[in-house]
Every structure is written in C-alpha cells, then in structure tokens.
Amino acid sequence: MFDYVIVGGGIGGVVSYAILKKIGRNVALLEKEPYLGGCSATFRRKNYLYNAGASTLVGLEEHMPLGKVFKFLNLPKPKVKKLEVPMVVYVGDKVIKRYSDREKTIFELEKNFNYKNLKSLWQKVYSISDANWQNIYSVIPINYKNPKLLLKKFFENCRYIMQTLPYHFKTSYEFFKDHLGNFDEDFKHFLDNQILMTSQGYSEEVPISVGAMGLTYPNLDNYYVYGGMGKVFDFLAHDYKNVFLRHRVIKIRKVKDVFQVITDKGVFEAKNVILNKTIWDYCDLLEDLKENCIKNRKIYSKIWSSLTIYFNVEDKENLIDEYHYQIIHKDINPYTGSNSFFVSVSDKEDEVLTKDGKKSVTISTHCKISLWQDLDKQEYLEKKEKAKEFILNKLFEYVPKFKYLSIENVIVGTPKTFQRYTGRYNGTVGGIPLIKDYIPLRYPFNFTPIKGLYLVGDSVFPGQGWPGVIVGVLNLLLQIEDIDEILY
Ligand SMILES: Cc1cc2nc3c(=O)[nH]c(=O)nc-3n(C[C@H](O)[C@H](O)[C@H](O)COP(=O)(O)OP(=O)(O)OC[C@H]3O[C@@H](n4cnc5c(N)ncnc54)[C@H](O)[C@@H]3O)c2cc1C
C-alpha cells in the first residue's frame, strides 16, 4: 500500500510527488496522458514540439518557490536563459518593452504614458508586490478551517497584515485612479491585460494587493526553458519511479482507512490521496463529494478557459528576436471575449523546440467558455477557422514581421480541447480568478471533508501559475508532513 497516491501530473501533482518521495514516503503518481505537465506540458504534433499553455517560468532562484523545491530535492535544474526583456507589450500604437530591470521599466512606462506621478506610483506597486513575496513563507501554512493556526499566523504576521490590509479592499483601478486622476484608454487596456494575465481578472475586479504582483511579474526573474516547459517535469520526476503514465483515475473510494484509487489499468491502495484536480472537477471521482463539487461549479463561475494557436515559423535570420509578446487590441475578439493574446516564440538555439530553422510558437488567449458551448460539429470547425484568422490577422497587424515569414502546421486549441486534454470541466483553465468575489474569504484551501484526501493545483490557495501552485503545495505539505526545512 502507498502512503500517498497523487492523481494528476500537473505542476501541483509533480511537485507534491517529488517532495514526498524525497522525504521517504512511498508515493505513486497517476497521470492519464503519456507525458506529465497538464496545462504546462510540451506536446508533440507530427515532428514538432509546442508548449501547450504555460511558457513563462518565474521563481527558479533559491528564495523563490520552484528554487526552494529544487534546492530541497538536491536535483539538477533544466537549462534555462534569464530574460532581460521578459515580454514586449503592444497596445494602441505603443510598443512597451517590459524590462526585468525596475528603473528601465519606469523609464519605458514614462516614455509611453505621460503621467506626472507615474514613477512614484510604480515604486509603490513594487513595494506592495515585494511585501507579498517577502512575507509569503512566513504566512504559510494557513487554513481557514483551523482557527488556532489562523490566530497564530495572524499574530506572527500582524505588521504585514495590517500594512497591506487596505490594499485588499482597493481595486487596482481605484488605486491608479486615486493617484493619476483620469487616465487614457491605452493605459487602461495596458493595466487590465497585464493584470488579467496573472490574476485572471481586470483592474476593476482585482484588488491592488494581487494586481501589483501581476504588474510586476516581468520584474521577477523570468526564464526561457530550453526544450519547453515540459522539460522541467523530467527534472522534477527524476527517475520516474512510481510515476504511472497513461493511467486514468475513474473512481476513488474510502474503505475504512484505506483509499482505493481505481484506474483504467487497475486499483491502487493508499493511506492518503492528493488530487491534482480543481475543486469543480472531482464530481465523478468521489460520490461523497459530488454535491459539494457541483456547488463549486456554480460558485466559481467566473473562470476562464483558453483558446490557443500553435504553429511553426521559419525564421532562419532570427527576425523574431523576442521571446514573448502581449498584443492588446481594442476590439473584443468575438471568438474569445477578451481583447489580448500572448505569443511565445522558441529560441533559435533551442535544438528541441526549433527544428530546421522553424521556431515553435504558442499563442494563448483568455477565452469565455460560453462562446464554445452548444455548437454542432460544422459550427465548431467554422468557428475554429474564424478564430484562427482573427488572431493571426491581429498578430500580422501589430507585429508585421510575422506576416513576411512562412507559417506552417497551424493547430487551434479551444475550450473543448482543454476539456478533453486536461479533464477540466468545460475546459476551465488558469485557476480561480483573484477577484473581489473570491478573495480573500472565498478562496479554497487544500483540505476536503474526507480525512486523508487533499487538493493541490491552481484552484486552491494561493492559485495562479507556477509560483502560486507551488506555494499551494507547500501550504499543504507543511501541515501534513515535517518539511519545515524547505522554507530555509
Ligand atoms: C494557456 C495557458 C497559459 C499559461 N501560461 C502560464 C505561464 O506562462 N506561466 C505560468 O506560471 N503559468 C501559466 N499558466 C497557468 C499554469 O499553466 C497552470 O496554473 C498550471 O499549469 C496548473 O497546474 P495544475 O497542477 O493545477 O493542473 P493541470 O496542469 O491541469 O494538471 C492536472 C493533470 O491531471 C491530469 N488528470 C486529470 N484528470 C485525471 C484523471 N482522472 N486521472 C489521471 N490524471 C488526470 C491531467 O491530464 C493533467 O496532467 C497558463 C495556463 C494556460 C491554460
């Protein structure tokens, strides 16, 4: 019998597996696909590889979440390159380089937006974000259902909590309006879409406490991963011992104190189960939690999906020399319901992602689920084609050099694709939006009503992207195992 069975090999599941294995637990990881990674995998189509979703990596330094995990595991890290310009943002007629250097960032913003207080305001944004990063490891572990722990954490972090409290109640939009007065449409689009990328909500919805973290995401150390984001999973899973790929979990039952995890290839028994599923995705797995899971689908209804486009671009002369672009167009994309998209391009020297001079490109958007429901096959195929045209035309309009290069092997992923591929209800990806409706008090934690059944992934505290998911794993494991040294 295993100490732990982990269901799902996304970043949440794999980090849990690696840490538990390191401390000597007998642990199995079950993943339905032939490779690990989920929303952050790198997949092969014909002879080429593409990042399925995530393409920007932050948090690899020793004081950051993934860095702490790698240090604790004492494993080698994948080959990466630190980016001086983590992304270039196109909005209106402006091209804004998001430098990782803070001073250069302010200079670039002042060059593009003419507001008197912008410098001092952006410094304030840095300080809000820094305070969160500096205090995160002292705040965890927390759990709203454990009042004793909550009280202890409150007293330990009293100063930080009191200092940052007002920022939880002011939206990012209000914060900027208070300081700048009225601001123009381009600046609003810029704020909205930079915040959307990491917080899954717009400036009117996202408190500045988290909006600041989104706005300063490019100022963290951002890395390009050679071989794709999926490569990181090979390093974390290390020898793949007890990683069972192509094992789909169908049901989970608890008989006395033992969990029976039933897969399409047999039954695994365990004392504990960690689900790397969202809190609205385990409805069919667990009869006892079905009702609770269905309720979660209603409560967290403001979740996005994604529409993605993958292709190869022949760029032997390296004309496309940046790694990530955010294109913010004014009109709403009728096929996604959002007005921006993110483009990631492989490095010319990446021998895995760039083949025969053809770079691998992933475009991702925020997409409303409702736009892709109730379509018959013909409507679905036509809509995919139109969505592709809309996005590629916008790309050619904003970054014309793409237009003059040869583009091949275009693949379109829709919410339906994400539903099938990740097993997420309606293709919901990206985690619970960090908006006023849900934070701080309605954000779920890692515990379920069933003893020994836990949750990790981007739908539990603090959610969102790799740093959030990894902090969430630490939040769980610090409460159920003795892994305190990972924080030091
Ligand atoms: C388009 C897009 C772009 C993104 N860009 C970034 C980015 O640049 N940087 C960043 O940090 N984050 C990014 N994110 C967010 C990040 O990718 C996710 O938050 C993170 O990967 C989620 O990980 P997870 O562990 O919660 O779950 P998932 O990645 O969903 O993993 C769950 C796993 O469980 C498996 N599974 C499901 N059901 C079963 C079952 N019944 N049996 C067995 N296995 C099962 C799935 O196959 C999957 O592998 C992006 C997300 C998307 C969608």
Side-chain angles (χ1 to χ4, degrees):
M1 179 164 32
F2 290 99
D3 295 323
Y4 289 88
V5 162
I6 298 170
V7 179
I11 187 65
V14 175
V15 167
S16 309
Y17 160 84
I19 296 174
L20 289 168
K21 193 171 136 197
K22 174 75 182 171
I23 60 169
R25 299 289 169 264
N26 186 16
V27 47
L29 175 72
L30 310 176
E31 166 56 51
K32 67 176 174 50
E33 293 298 315
Y35 48 84
L36 299 174
C39 297
S40 302
T42 302
F43 71 95
R44 182 183 294 277
R45 177 67 73 85
K46 295 186 181 153
N47 252 338
Y48 295 96
L49 286 150
Y50 311 90
N51 282 320
S55 55
T56 61
L57 179 70
V58 302
L60 206 50
E61 310 88 277
E62 279 198 2
H63 65 285
M64 294 292 279
L66 188 58
K68 281 190 183 292
V69 170
F70 267 112
K71 186 171 171 223
F72 182 73
L73 299 176
N74 196 18
L75 289 175
K77 290 181 197 164
K79 184 181 167 201
V80 294
K81 177 182 191 171
K82 197 168 136 188
L83 304 179
E84 206 187 314
V85 182
M87 69 185 76
V88 184
V89 183
Y90 289 74
V91 55
D93 57 0
K94 301 176 174 63
V95 182
I96 305 163
K97 285 193 171 191
R98 291 297 323 257
Y99 290 98
S100 83
D101 182 272
R102 293 182 170 206
E103 286 304 312
K104 281 190 185 165
T105 299
I106 291 176
F107 182 76
E108 184 77 2
L109 290 174
E110 285 185 323
K111 197 174 87 187
N112 282 287
F113 300 107
N114 189 17
Y115 299 114
K116 208 162 63 141
N117 300 332
L118 199 54
K119 182 172 182 174
S120 59
L121 183 55
W122 212 262
Q123 277 161 344
K124 184 93 202 146
V125 172
Y126 287 142
S127 76
I128 298 171
S129 167
D130 289 347
N132 290 341
W133 278 112
Q134 278 155 15
N135 289 284
I136 188 76
Y137 306 115
S138 109
V139 168
I140 59 170
I142 54 167
N143 173 8
Y144 286 165
K145 297 215 168 116
N146 182 342
K148 219 166 123 192
L149 179 65
L150 210 56
L151 217 57
K152 175 173 172 279
K153 287 290 163 183
F154 178 77
F155 285 114
E156 278 174 12
N157 296 282
C158 199
R159 199 154 158 253
Y160 158 67
I161 292 169
M162 296 320 282
Q163 262 174 5
T164 51
L165 202 61
Y167 302 128
H168 291 306
F169 296 100
K170 193 170 273 270
T171 66
S172 305
Y173 178 78
E174 286 162 350
F175 174 84
F176 277 90
K177 198 149 171 43
D178 284 356
H179 288 82
L180 298 178
N182 287 330
F183 43 85
D184 67 31
E185 204 189 17
D186 282 352
F187 191 64
K188 172 80 169 42
H189 281 317
F190 173 77
L191 289 181
D192 273 343
N193 288 286
Q194 288 269 285
I195 292 174
L196 180 68
M197 217 169 32
T198 50
S199 312
Q200 317 304 323
Y202 292 114
S203 64
E204 280 107 338
E205 307 167 294
V206 174
I208 187 63
S209 51
V210 282
M213 298 182 87
L215 291 170
T216 55
Y217 184 86
N219 300 105
L220 300 172
D221 286 347
N222 279 242
Y223 301 91
Y224 175 85
V225 185
Y226 286 88
M229 295 291 276
K231 198 84 207 146
V232 185
F233 292 85
D234 292 340
F235 283 79
L236 289 168
H238 187 45
D239 55 10
Y240 276 73
K241 186 168 178 278
N242 287 344
V243 172
F244 297 88
L245 299 174
R246 294 192 172 91
H247 278 62
R248 178 186 291 274
V249 175
I250 299 160
K251 274 271 177 271
I252 302 174
R253 280 197 219 111
K254 193 170 182 188
V255 182
K256 293 196 179 142
D257 282 341
V258 177
F259 285 96
Q260 292 181 337
V261 182
I262 299 149
T263 76
D264 54 0
K265 306 260 162 55
V267 180
F268 289 70
E269 288 196 332
K271 293 178 200 155
N272 302 282
V273 170
I274 298 182
L275 283 178
N276 186 196
K277 304 271 290 173
T278 70
I279 56 159
W280 50 89
D281 276 327
Y282 49 66
C283 309
D284 296 330
L285 291 185
L286 288 133
E287 275 316 314
D288 291 350
L289 294 186
K290 195 168 187 147
E291 229 173 88
N292 157 302
C293 174
I294 290 172
K295 211 164 88 194
N296 288 337
R297 290 181 178 172
K298 293 205 180 94
I299 298 175
Y300 302 102
S301 59
K302 291 194 174 171
I303 302 155
W304 290 91
S305 185
S306 185
L307 187 133
T308 43
I309 300 184
Y310 312 95
F311 60 84
N312 297 101
V313 60
E314 187 153 2
D315 185 21
K316 293 206 167 105
E317 288 171 36
N318 203 34
L319 295 179
I320 301 165
D321 52 357
E322 303 289 359
Y323 295 86
H324 305 291
Y325 303 81
Q326 188 184 35
I327 314 294
I328 305 171
H329 45 87
K330 289 193 175 144
D331 42 337
I332 294 286
N333 179 339
Y335 310 104
T336 64
S338 61
N339 70 329
S340 66
F341 56 91
F342 194 71
V343 187
S344 294
V345 186
S346 66
D347 185 297
K348 68 176 189 319
E349 273 153 20
D350 186 333
E351 286 166 7
V352 179
L353 285 185
T354 302
K355 262 183 93 183
D356 316 321
K358 291 173 191 166
K359 293 180 173 176
S360 166
V361 179
T362 296
I363 297 185
S364 60
T365 66
H366 280 77
C367 181
K368 289 197 170 138
I369 288 155
S370 57
L371 294 173
W372 290 84
Q373 281 171 332
D374 306 322
L375 301 172
D376 66 31
K377 194 167 177 200
Q378 192 57 27
E379 286 169 334
Y380 176 73
L381 293 174
E382 282 169 11
K383 201 162 186 175
K384 254 171 94 162
E385 201 51 36
K386 286 183 186 155
K388 178 179 96 181
E389 268 169 40
F390 185 96
I391 292 170
L392 289 183
N393 284 337
K394 288 285 177 211
L395 177 64
F396 299 154
E397 183 186 326
Y398 281 84
V399 198
K401 53 191 169 184
F402 275 95
K403 190 156 103 186
Y404 303 111
L405 296 167
S406 152
I407 286 179
E408 296 169 18
N409 308 324
V410 185
I411 308 162
V412 181
T414 69
K416 296 273 170 224
T417 320
F418 273 103
Q419 179 172 0
R420 181 171 35 79
Y421 165 61
T422 61
R424 289 176 176 227
Y425 172 67
N426 285 342
T428 46
V429 287
I432 296 178
L434 295 172
I435 57 179
K436 282 183 304 182
D437 303 37
Y438 305 135
I439 55 167
L441 295 177
R442 289 179 99 177
Y443 216 92
F445 280 82
N446 314 80
F447 295 84
T448 71
I450 300 178
K451 196 166 166 242
L453 180 78
Y454 308 108
L455 294 157
V456 292
D458 61 16
S459 73
V460 291
F461 168 85
Q464 307 305 326
W466 282 41
V469 173
I470 295 169
V471 170
V473 170
L474 300 183
N475 193 51
L476 169 67
L477 297 186
L478 284 164
Q479 292 180 72
I480 59 173
E481 289 285 354
D482 181 13
I483 59 152
D484 286 11
E485 84 177 87
I486 203 167
L487 295 184
Y488 306 112

